[in-house]
Amino acid sequence: MAGLVGVVLLIASAACGAQAPHAASFAAAPAITFPVGIRIVALARGPARPLPTTVWYPALFAGRDAPIAAGPFPVVIYSHGLHSLPARHAEIISRWVAAGFVVAAPAYPRTREDARNFTRADVRNQPADAWYVVGKVLALPVFAGHLDGSRIGAAGHSAGGYTTAGLFTPATTTRSGAAS
């Protein structure tokens, strides 16, 4: 994907108050590639912050609402840039999923392509939105036992890179509001 600008960070532990590690350990790449399943989840952090989220995941067969493959899989939160949508990043996200990651990508309410009240200043609210989405995706019954909540990554494109970096500021590392 030409021109991809962003940030990728790994968190060693998803426990409340976890800090990003100075070094991360990596396991070997999977010996197989997984088919890609897709679910659309209607999330919202209050009425003014709808967060429709696309979740791509390793599946038993490719397709919408396909059964998830045997996990547990690490989770990545992916943040789109200004005037964009998660679907515009499906090519790269699908490659991560085929390698064994679950990727949750919310469409942020004021920076997405079809936003009624677009404002780039809303990027400052998106780290809290992202942690909220992580908490809700980890709690979805359909993924129970298949997600590894201790291995969470984050990536973003363009302004989504700022959202990703904002996930690790003192105000958001406690994941306040991530799960309710």
Side-chain angles (χ1 to χ4, degrees):
M1 208 170 190
L4 182 66
V5 178
V7 178
V8 178
L9 301 169
L10 295 177
I11 301 175
S13 172
C16 290
Q19 300 294 316
H22 295 298
S25 62
F26 299 93
I32 63 167
T33 57
F34 293 94
V36 178
I38 300 170
R39 282 191 186 266
I40 308 297
V41 184
L43 300 176
R45 202 164 62 98
R49 298 213 58 85
L51 297 163
T53 300
T54 305
V55 182
W56 286 268
Y57 56 92
L60 297 179
F61 53 85
R64 189 152 179 182
D65 299 329
I68 189 168
F73 300 106
V75 178
V76 175
I77 184 80
Y78 186 82
S79 296
H80 63 76
L82 301 177
H83 296 289
S84 191
L85 290 169
R88 296 199 180 281
H89 307 276
E91 184 177 344
I92 193 168
I93 290 171
S94 293
R95 290 178 186 212
W96 297 341
V97 172
F101 293 87
V102 171
V103 180
Y108 296 108
R110 301 242 169 114
T111 61
R112 67 182 184 220
E113 180 178 275
D114 57 353
R116 282 189 217 194
N117 299 314
F118 177 87
T119 176
R120 75 180 61 233
D122 196 57
V123 169
R124 70 176 163 253
N125 296 310
Q126 292 177 180
D129 291 339
W131 277 126
Y132 175 84
V133 168
V134 167
K136 291 300 185 182
V137 169
L138 288 174
L140 288 172
V142 69
F143 295 134
H146 296 280
L147 306 182
D148 184 348
S150 71
R151 295 187 298 157
I152 298 174
H157 174 256
S158 192
Y162 287 98
T163 299
T164 300
L167 290 169
F168 305 102
T169 63
T172 58
T173 54
T174 60
R175 290 181 52 186
S176 59
S180 58

